[in-house]
Amino acid sequence: TRVGEQRQPLVLLVTPDSAVRGSLCTLLPLSGWRVRDVSTSALASHNLKAGLPEVLLIDQKLPDGDVLDVVRSLRARSGHQRVRVGVLVEAIDRETAVSYVRAGIDLFFAKPLALIEVAPVNLKFEKSLNSVVALEVPPPLEGGVGGVHPAGCG
């Protein structure tokens, strides 16, 4: 970052769903976010060890682990208080929702994504993600997956 420039906030997006990943990797940079996208809980845990994002947006259905394990690992780290956690869910029962909240999940987003809160008010996150942006989920994008993408993923 150059002197006088503000660093764009980082979202760690964890989902095996290519349609969701493609949509959010297009939309989030337009709202001023950098996006690091991964498809597994193992890669999420590895990325969290390397540094904390401002937002962890994680899919409820991961191919290699439980979303709660990733969130508990995050919440055990120093500095975790500044990280907002959102979970992408297709359906959720009351018991599961309560266990997610107790583990430190701040926001729930319904899949398939039609409307999603994605734009921050400021980098301090005094309020959680709070402006609603319409989002139609397009077909999956071609190309690579993974890495930090200031202008979209892939």
Side-chain angles (χ1 to χ4, degrees), residues 6-151:
Q6 280 195 343
R7 183 181 67 87
Q8 289 179 303
L10 176 65
V11 174
L12 177 56
L13 174 62
V14 185
T15 181
D17 186 326
S18 60
V20 169
R21 187 173 43 252
S23 296
L24 291 176
C25 287
T26 299
L27 178 66
L28 290 170
L30 296 174
S31 301
W33 294 89
R34 290 179 302 135
V35 178
R36 178 174 291 135
D37 66 299
V38 298
S39 59
T40 66
S41 61
L43 290 170
S45 295
H46 176 75
N47 275 272
L48 290 170
K49 288 176 186 171
L52 295 179
E54 282 75 16
V55 173
L56 170 62
L57 187 53
I58 188 168
D59 203 311
Q60 181 183 23
K61 292 184 179 180
L62 297 172
D64 66 336
D66 183 12
V67 68
L68 287 177
D69 292 337
V70 176
V71 173
R72 287 183 186 123
S73 173
L74 164 70
R75 293 300 184 209
R77 296 202 43 182
S78 175
H80 75 86
Q81 299 88 347
R82 68 175 179 84
V83 180
R84 296 289 172 250
V85 179
V87 66
L88 302 162
V89 298
E90 290 178 6
I92 192 165
D93 60 61
R94 181 171 166 54
E95 182 179 334
T96 303
V98 168
S99 69
Y100 281 13
V101 170
R102 287 185 177 149
I105 292 175
D106 302 301
L107 303 165
F108 294 85
F109 300 105
K111 286 173 57 179
L113 298 175
L115 291 174
I116 188 168
E117 299 174 349
V118 292
V121 171
N122 59 44
L123 294 181
K124 294 181 182 177
F125 295 99
E126 293 170 348
K127 295 183 179 181
S128 292
L129 310 175
N130 69 352
S131 61
V132 177
V133 177
L135 172 64
E136 292 294 324
V137 177
L141 298 176
E142 296 295 322
V145 174
V148 176
H149 307 283

